[in-house]
Amino acid sequence: MLPYNKDNMKLSWKSDDKRNVSVNTKGVIKVNKKAAAGSYTITVKAIGGVSKGSTVPEGKIIIVVSAQEG
């Protein structure tokens, strides 16, 4: 049996700071208009379709927000 089954695999998305940067279940990332300058991490993890005992694939996306004028 292969460790991954792409047909059954789903992704879990999580923001480290939902007030400033959010992500929905489809992976659409939104930055709040009033987000503080800084970097925020979105973590994506495979759920389902992973054989028991296998390492679960995971990735991180870093969003950098610059200071806003005005």
Side-chain angles (χ1 to χ4, degrees), residues 4-69:
Y4 308 113
N5 179 342
K6 68 177 180 63
D7 295 329
N8 293 332
M9 190 175 289
K10 293 182 176 27
L11 298 176
S12 167
W13 298 87
K14 182 178 178 186
S15 171
D16 70 340
D17 187 335
K18 293 178 184 177
R19 289 181 302 167
N20 289 300
V21 178
S22 62
V23 59
N24 69 16
T25 57
K26 293 185 180 186
V28 176
I29 299 168
K30 291 186 180 181
V31 177
N32 184 325
K33 289 180 183 180
K34 296 181 181 182
S39 62
Y40 303 94
T41 302
I42 302 294
T43 302
V44 59
K45 191 177 210 179
I47 55 173
V50 179
S51 299
K52 188 175 184 177
S54 297
T55 302
V56 177
E58 181 177 297
K60 296 196 183 288
I61 300 166
I62 307 298
I63 306 295
V64 177
V65 177
S66 301
Q68 299 181 18
E69 297 180 23

